């Protein structure tokens, strides 16, 4: 490095891109763009089929490229803004599986026209003649699929973002389509639109925190690159020491909003309840995974050097998240809100693993995210099936006696609930173990306290899940109008994969745990 | 020194090659059958039983090919190991699942799959009119798979999985006709008694982990000699508890008689030929542990000697044909236990008797089933008599089994049981006289009660009414269909010849020698011809006495009151009363006290805790107002609080 280079502005230099490493992302974004063209040019009657096919083919292709090509190109690329390393690849692969399952559940139409998850015309006023006309004409919001693909693209980028600016762009790319998807529910549209607006407003609010924090960190380190920030912390040569802590906290808060940590969780129950149920499942699994991927990278690559200053604050948030999520799930009467609070509690459990600051913590978190996501997508797919008079029967009382009428559906749902509760021989137990064990061995006193709180909170949530199982199996049905629709082959696959994954990760977790363990080292 | 320990010292038992590497299939095939039948639902009603039978035979063929492959290998290279996956990776404790295919396990594989498959065939006829036939075959397949896992496992933990699996299948099949509350109770009783044994087994497995840091056969057996005799005695006794429960040995014998509630093919397969012998297998498989613990070994022999007399005495008084056979099973397993408790001189004979007994007892149970089939499911022998003319095949096949169990030369039982009696007379001090005497007297009593059973059923005057005379109470004895009689014939051939074939030139003992260890030439305290002649005299005496009472004289149709001993034997020597008085009543009182404490104390605390969580939840819930502005305010408060707190702390 010559002196001239450091003092003079360098000539513009095109960044090097390792296309093999980023190919999975390119496949997804290409499919999303083609999807927009399909919306514009394909005949209305065929759009749904084309979009579903396109999305699935692209996701499978992306996964194949990831597994076959990208794994051998672990590198920091695109001028240092994307790090395709072990954790990024593992999380991207898991994301793609979630996306495939999510698209499968979103494509569910029950063979008819008016039972699918999405409103026939998103722009129409709820209850207006335009809406009913669109319904009669059999319109469908097939835009949902390109939107999903854009969100997946953002998530893929999010978990690999090695730079605060890239991270912010990824955050917005994944968030904006989700805001729109949230407002597209077919039934209870006002609730759905309200949820969408709340999610958008609070999301914008949290993005502002993230940006502000990023600006402070740039001021501290003179770079938005995570590696540079880490160097600045380790050499303690930051120009303005006082900017570091607020910067770290504000950036983290922007990310913690996305995982639904308390007190930034308020949007979660409303958005989960209002969004079309398959979207909720996808959102719960994939957003949580992507956001935790970003948190891991920020915490382990970027600001790990100053962790003693900020980790207690995050530990307090983790404890609060577990307690509030668990306690509030006790009084929920709506199945989707119950699962929302459950997801909040799970976010707390995962944070415990994050705060271990050890590679085994990364392993545990990644395993937890995979296990939780599989169970969640299947659980919401089942919620989508249980209907009363055409609309979803989300009130808990309507689930009474479901086990007698639909033993298979209720049985799978009970299995997923057991996994959420962390009962052995399900993925939930292994996941909790994998996330809590590093916190005990590497987290010091704070880690032990968090694990104790975590176990107590698990006991509270277990009560909620068991009560639901009791309700399904040992309570007389309230009315005869609650039925579980017969799923199409697509959602059957999604539910089966979710349930099988839950069992396999519980009974023989070895291979996936080993895999997660082998790839848990970030490229610095 | 035995081969397993040697192999462990040199390294490992050779990894399986060729066909033997696919030994998992032995278990997987019947398991697949069970899964298809249970999950397939009504769709498999029409062909499910054929599939189950075919898969069981497939397992047999596979096992037979492996046996041939094994015979082809040298004496010391016969044992092979099939690796599985890392089942329990828990820190220092690593447990690989794996199968051990050696001379001992292959002998069991042959017994289980051959007798098991025959009984599948028999059941096709026996269960023809049962509406739940599919479920029955599913359970039978499940049993065969679990039993194979039990004998093929290479570690105590995997063995325990099979152990529980056969227990489950046994429970499900005893209570198969659970619409009858008495049968369901019988299933529960078997379940409870077996839990006692399971506790013994689980503690034994934990104890092994504590002592050896491992629970696989190779490590445990290799370390047994150095581990000290106190530890090994404890371990041996714990294993004995498990073995007693599974094999219905004194004092955990009470469940076997009631287990006859299950369909007869089940009694033949599970409660006579295979599952109940698992305890003997366990003791022989763990011979290194017992060799290192002479006291535990003595306990095994004492348990065996007590049970063989106990079962024989109970058998003399039973009028229910299946319960008499059950008592006989108990007694015969007592012989095997006794042999296993004698140490290296007895192991091979214990297994030898186990194999021959598997054939002749299964054959007799199937015969009993055939008799019941022709007699409207009646079991009271006082209502039989003179059936030999009506059911010729059943009579002949049963007769061969009868000759075998009596130990009449040259039938199977003679070769195996006589060896056990001879071995029991080996030793010093009081032991040969007590054990040998018990075994010899047992043989005499066996001859009496088995002849009683045979004569009461097939000979003497007929004590039943023909259907033509009384449509209500009358019966129409007839021979069973071929699906039932062919398995009986095959087993009868085994009852007749198997002992002679396997003992030709000491073949079976040599076969097992690399596993259980050889022993020097030892001589009984009495000359062998004297033992043999005495035994045969006792057998002849017992049979002749039975002939006088139950063939020559008339048998009363209602049981006479009998002597005190007869009454006691009829009540299974008061085993249930003792269990109730000693364990059940104190247990009931303890449970009541615990329930009271639980209700008042623990539940009170838990209840108020739950109420307070619920109250907190309702209060917190009010924060979720639904207004975006208050959500944003919550967020802002959180940000300020975290920043403020961290700023203060740093």
């Amino acid at each position: 490095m010559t002196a001239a280079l450091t003092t003079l502005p360098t000539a513009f230099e095109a960044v090097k891109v390792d296309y093999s490493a980023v190919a999975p992302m390119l496949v997804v974004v290409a499919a999303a763009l083609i999807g927009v063209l399909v919306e514009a040019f394909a005949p209305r009657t065929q759009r749904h089929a084309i979009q579903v096919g396109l999305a699935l083919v692209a996701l499978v292709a992306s996964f194949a490229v990831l597994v076959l090509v990208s794994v051998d190109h672990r590198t920091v690329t695109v001028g240092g803004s994307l790090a395709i390393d072990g954790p990024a690849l593992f999380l991207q692969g898991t994301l793609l599986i979630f996306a495939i399952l999510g698209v499968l559940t979103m494509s569910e139409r029950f063979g008819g026209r008016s039972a699918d998850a999405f409103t026939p015309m998103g722009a129409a006023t709820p209850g207006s003649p335009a809406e009913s006309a669109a319904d009669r004409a059999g319109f469908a919001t097939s835009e949902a699929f390109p939107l999903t693909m854009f969100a997946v693209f953002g998530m893929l980028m999010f978990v690999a973002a090695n730079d605060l600016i890239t991270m912010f762009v990824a955050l917005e790319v994944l968030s904006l389509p989700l805001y729109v998807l949230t407002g597209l529910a077919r039934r209870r549209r006002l609730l759905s639109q309200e949820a969408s607006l709340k999610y958008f407003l609070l999301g914008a609010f949290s993005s502002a925190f993230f940006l502000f924090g990023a600006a402070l960190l740039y001021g501290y380190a003179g770079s938005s690159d995570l590696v540079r920030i880490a160097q600045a912390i380790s050499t303690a040569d930051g120009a303005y020491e006082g900017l570091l802590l607020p910067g770290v906290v504000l950036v983290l808060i922007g990310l913690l909003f996305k995982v639904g940590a308390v007190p930034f969780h308020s949007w979660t129950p409303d958005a989960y309840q209002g969004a079309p149920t398959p979207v909720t499942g996808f959102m719960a699994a994939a957003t949580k995974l992507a956001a935790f991927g970003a948190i891991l990278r920020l915490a382990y690559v970027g600001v790990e050097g100053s962790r003693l200053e900020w980790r207690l604050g995050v530990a307090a948030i983790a404890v609060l998240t577990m307690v509030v999520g668990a306690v509030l799930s006790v009084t929920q009467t709506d199945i989707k809100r119950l699962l929302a609070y459950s997801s909040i509690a799970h976010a707390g459990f995962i944070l415990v693993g994050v705060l271990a600051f050890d590679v085994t913590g990364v392993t545990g978190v990644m395993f937890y995210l995979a296990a939780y996501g599989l169970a969640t997508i299947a659980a919401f797919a089942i919620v989508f099936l249980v209907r009363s008079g055409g609309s979803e029967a989300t009130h808990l009382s309507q689930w009474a006696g479901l086990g007698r009428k639909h033993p298979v559906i209720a049985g799978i749902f009970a299995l997923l609930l057991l996994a959420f509760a962390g009962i052995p021989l399900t993925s939930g137990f292994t996941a909790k173990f994998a996330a809590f064990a590093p916190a005990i061995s590497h987290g010091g006193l704070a880690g032990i306290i968090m694990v104790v709180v975590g176990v107590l909170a698990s006991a509270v949530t277990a009560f909620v899940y068991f009560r639901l199982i009791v309700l399904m199996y040992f309570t007389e049905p309230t009315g005869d109008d609650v039925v579980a629709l017969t799923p199409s082959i697509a959602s059957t696959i999604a539910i089966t994969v979710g349930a099988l994954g839950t069992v396999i990760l519980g009974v023989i977790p070895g291979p996936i745990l080993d895999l997660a363990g082998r790839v848990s080292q970030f490229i610095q | 020194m035995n081969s397993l320990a040697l192999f462990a010292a040199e390294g490992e038992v050779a990894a399986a090659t060729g066909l033997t590497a696919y030994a998992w299939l032995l278990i997987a095939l019947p398991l697949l059958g069970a899964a298809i039948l249970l999950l397939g639902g009504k769709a498999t009603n029409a062909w499910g039983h054929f599939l189950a039978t075919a898969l069981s035979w497939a397992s047999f063929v596979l096992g037979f090919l492996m046996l041939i492959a094994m015979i082809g290998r040298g004496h010391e290279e016969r044992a092979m190991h099939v690796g599985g996956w890392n089942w329990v990776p828990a820190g220092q404790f690593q447990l690989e699942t794996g199968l051990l295919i050696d001379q001992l396990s292959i002998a069991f594989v042959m017994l289980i799959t051959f007798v098991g498959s025959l009984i599948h065939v028999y059941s096709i006829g026996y269960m023809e009119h049962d509406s739940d036939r599919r479920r029955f075959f599913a359970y039978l397949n499940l049993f065969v798979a679990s039993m194979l896992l039990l004998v093929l496992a290479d570690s105590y933990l995997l063995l325990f999985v099979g152990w529980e699996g056969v227990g489950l299948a046994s429970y499900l099949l005893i209570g198969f006709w659970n619409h009858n509350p008495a049968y369901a109770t019988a299933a529960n009783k078997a379940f409870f008694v077996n839990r006692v044994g399971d506790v013994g087994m689980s503690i034994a497995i934990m104890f092994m982990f504590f002592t050896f840091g491992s629970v696989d056969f190779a490590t445990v057996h290799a370390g047994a000699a150095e581990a000290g005799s106190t530890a090994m005695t404890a371990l041996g006794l714990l294993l004995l508890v498990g073995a007693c429960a599974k094999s219905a040995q004194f004092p955990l014998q009470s469940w076997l008689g009631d287990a006859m509630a299950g369909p007869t093919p089940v009694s033949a397969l599970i409660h006579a030929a295979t599952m109940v012998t698992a305890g003997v297998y366990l003791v022989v498989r763990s011979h290194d542990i017992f060799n290192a613990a002479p006291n535990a070994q003595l306990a095994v022999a004492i348990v065996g000697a007590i049970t063989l007399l106990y079962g024989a005495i109970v058998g003399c008084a039973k009028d229910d044909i299946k319960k008499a056979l059950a008592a006989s099973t108990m007694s015969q397993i007592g012989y095997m236990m006794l042999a296993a408790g004698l140490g290296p001189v007895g192991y091979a004979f214990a297994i030898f008797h186990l194999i021959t007994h598997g054939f002749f007892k299964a054959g007799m149970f199937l015969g009993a089933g055939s008799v019941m089939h022709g007699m409207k499911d009646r079991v009271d022998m006082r209502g039989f008599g003179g059936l030999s003319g009506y059911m010729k095949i059943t009579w002949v096949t049963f007769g061969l089994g009868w000759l075998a169990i009596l130990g009449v030369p040259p039938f199977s039982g003679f070769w195996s049981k006589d060896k056990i009696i001879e071995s029991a007379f080996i030793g010093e001090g009081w032991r040969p006289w007590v054990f040998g005497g018990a075994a010899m007297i047992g043989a005499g009593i066996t001859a009496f009660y088995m002849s009683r059973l045979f004569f009461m059923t097939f000979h003497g005057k007929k004590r039943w009414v023909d259907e033509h005379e009384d449509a209500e109470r009358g019966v129409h004895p007839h021979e069973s269909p071929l699906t039932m009689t062919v398995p009986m014939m095959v087993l009868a051939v085994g009852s007749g010849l198997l002992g002679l074939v396997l003992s030709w030139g000491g073949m079976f003992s040599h076969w097992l020698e690399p596993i259980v260890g050889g022993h020097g030439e030892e001589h009984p305290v009495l000359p062998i011809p004297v033992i043999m002649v005495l035994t045969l005299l006792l057998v002849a005496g017992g049979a002749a006495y039975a002939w006088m009472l139950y063939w020559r004289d008339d048998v009363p149709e209602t049981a006479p009151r009998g002597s005190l001993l007869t009454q006691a034997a009829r009540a299974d020597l008061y085993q249930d009363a003792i269990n109730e008085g000693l364990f059940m009543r104190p247990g009931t009182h303890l449970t009541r006290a615990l329930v009271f404490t639980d209700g008042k104390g623990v539940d009170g605390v838990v209840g108020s805790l739950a109420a307070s969580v619920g109250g907190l939840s309702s209060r917190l819930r009010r924060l979720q107002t639904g207004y975006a502005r208050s959500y944003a305010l919550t967020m802002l408060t959180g940000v300020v609080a975290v920043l403020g707190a961290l700023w203060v702390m740093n």
Side-chain angles (χ1 to χ4, degrees), chain A residues 380-475:
Chain A
F380 279 105
I382 289 177
V383 170
F384 187 50
L385 300 180
V386 180
R387 301 291 178 106
S388 167
S391 63
E392 288 171 38
T394 55
H395 198 275
L396 285 188
S397 64
Q398 292 172 300
W399 285 60
L402 194 71
R404 298 189 196 169
K405 286 188 278 185
H406 301 284
V408 177
I409 295 281
I412 295 175
F413 199 71
L415 167 77
L416 299 169
L417 289 175
L418 292 178
F420 288 144
I423 302 302
L425 293 183
T426 64
S427 60
F429 174 77
T430 328
K432 278 211 177 72
F433 187 82
F436 285 178
I440 295 258
S441 49
H442 300 283
L445 182 63
I448 293 170
I449 292 173
M450 281 193 290
V451 169
V452 170
V453 174
V455 171
L456 292 177
S458 303
V460 174
T461 55
F463 162 73
V464 177
Y465 305 130
F466 289 147
R467 196 179 51 183
L468 188 49
I469 294 176
V470 169
L471 187 73
M472 287 196 298
Y473 280 95
F474 301 105
T475 312

Side-chain angles (χ1 to χ4, degrees), chain B residues 99-451:
Chain B
L99 301 183
L100 180 64
I101 296 98
D102 63 5
Q103 292 91 325
L104 181 58
S105 54
I106 202 81
F108 271 90
V109 168
M110 287 291 95
L111 174 72
I112 296 160
T113 52
F114 186 66
V115 176
S117 302
L118 281 178
I119 287 171
H120 272 80
V121 174
Y122 178 90
S123 305
I124 293 176
Y126 192 82
M127 300 298 283
E128 197 180 354
H129 305 297
D130 199 289
S131 56
D132 258 342
R133 183 176 58 182
R134 176 175 56 85
R135 194 161 57 91
F136 179 82
F137 276 89
Y139 293 162
L140 269 194
N141 257 0
L142 176 68
F143 169 78
V144 170
S146 309
M147 189 71 202
L148 287 172
L149 179 64
L150 194 162
V151 297
L152 285 170
D154 74 338
S155 72
Y156 282 95
L157 200 58
L158 195 58
L159 178 148
F160 195 54
V161 174
W163 188 271
E164 290 302 302
V166 293
L168 171 71
S170 155
Y171 170 77
L172 291 171
L173 285 166
I174 295 171
F176 186 74
W177 289 317
N178 55 17
H179 45 77
N180 182 338
Y183 292 0
T185 312
N188 284 341
K189 187 171 177 185
F191 182 80
F192 286 129
V193 176
N194 271 294
R195 293 287 78 67
V196 178
D198 291 345
V199 170
M201 276 290 282
S202 2
I203 300 179
I205 291 173
M206 293 179 225
F207 193 85
M208 278 171 207
F209 176 56
F210 173 75
T211 316
F212 304 106
S214 173
V215 296
D216 59 286
F217 290 153
T219 319
V220 171
H221 294 164
E226 285 89 50
S229 76
T230 323
M232 288 306 99
T233 306
L235 189 53
L237 290 177
L238 286 168
L239 289 175
L240 178 61
V241 172
C244 279
K246 192 62 78 192
S247 293
Q249 296 295 290
F250 181 83
L252 296 174
Q253 78 288 19
S254 63
W255 64 273
L256 188 61
D258 294 326
M260 296 300 125
T264 307
V266 171
S267 312
L269 177 61
I270 302 186
H271 305 118
T274 54
M275 184 191 82
V276 287
T277 58
V280 180
Y281 170 77
L282 182 70
V283 173
V284 174
R285 178 57 89 188
S286 315
H287 61 274
D288 282 313
I289 295 172
F290 286 97
N291 286 350
N295 289 331
Q297 213 164 37
L298 180 62
V300 174
I302 292 174
V303 163
I306 293 179
T307 315
L308 84 85
L309 290 174
Y310 188 110
I313 292 169
V314 170
C316 293
K318 289 289 178 189
D319 292 330
D320 178 328
I321 184 167
K322 284 181 75 181
K323 292 206 168 166
L325 282 172
S328 143
T329 303
M330 198 189 289
S331 165
Q332 294 301 310
I333 298 173
Y335 273 105
M336 301 170 206
M337 274 290 182
L338 171 63
L342 294 173
V345 287
Y347 293 135
F349 300 133
I351 300 297
F352 186 23
H353 192 52
L354 194 160
I355 303 271
T356 56
H357 171 257
F359 275 81
F360 62 69
K361 185 54 68 63
M364 282 193 283
F365 261 113
L366 295 189
S370 174
V371 169
M372 287 162 61
H373 192 77
M375 297 290 283
K376 284 191 175 172
D377 277 338
R378 290 182 192 169
V379 289
D380 187 358
M381 292 186 290
R382 290 188 187 275
F384 295 168
L387 290 176
S388 57
Y390 298 87
M391 320 173 102
K392 282 253 164 29
I393 302 176
T394 308
W395 174 59
V396 171
T397 54
F398 201 106
L400 281 167
W402 168 67
L403 289 170
I405 196 171
L406 254 57
V408 175
F411 300 102
S412 280
F414 168 76
W415 304 99
S416 52
K417 193 155 77 173
D418 202 60
K419 283 290 179 194
I420 294 181
I421 298 173
E422 281 170 25
S423 308
F425 273 107
I426 294 174
E428 286 163 8
W430 56 273
R431 289 187 199 175
W433 299 104
V434 171
F435 292 148
M440 195 183 267
I441 294 167
I445 308 179
T446 304
F448 170 73
Y449 73 79
M450 284 312 296
S451 309

Side-chain angles (χ1 to χ4, degrees), chain A residues 197-251:
Chain A
L197 187 65
K198 279 184 195 165
Y199 190 15
F200 169 67
L201 285 176
L202 297 170
F205 195 43
S206 80
S207 293
F209 284 119
F210 182 93
L211 266 187
F212 189 30
L216 294 179
L217 284 178
Y218 183 80
Y220 168 78
S223 167
S224 62
D225 191 305
L226 292 182
V227 179
R228 294 284 196 76
I229 295 173
Q231 282 166 358
I233 294 172
S234 63
T235 53
D237 63 352
Y240 307 99
E241 276 302 325
L243 297 184
L244 175 61
L245 183 62
V248 172
V249 170
L250 288 176
V251 168

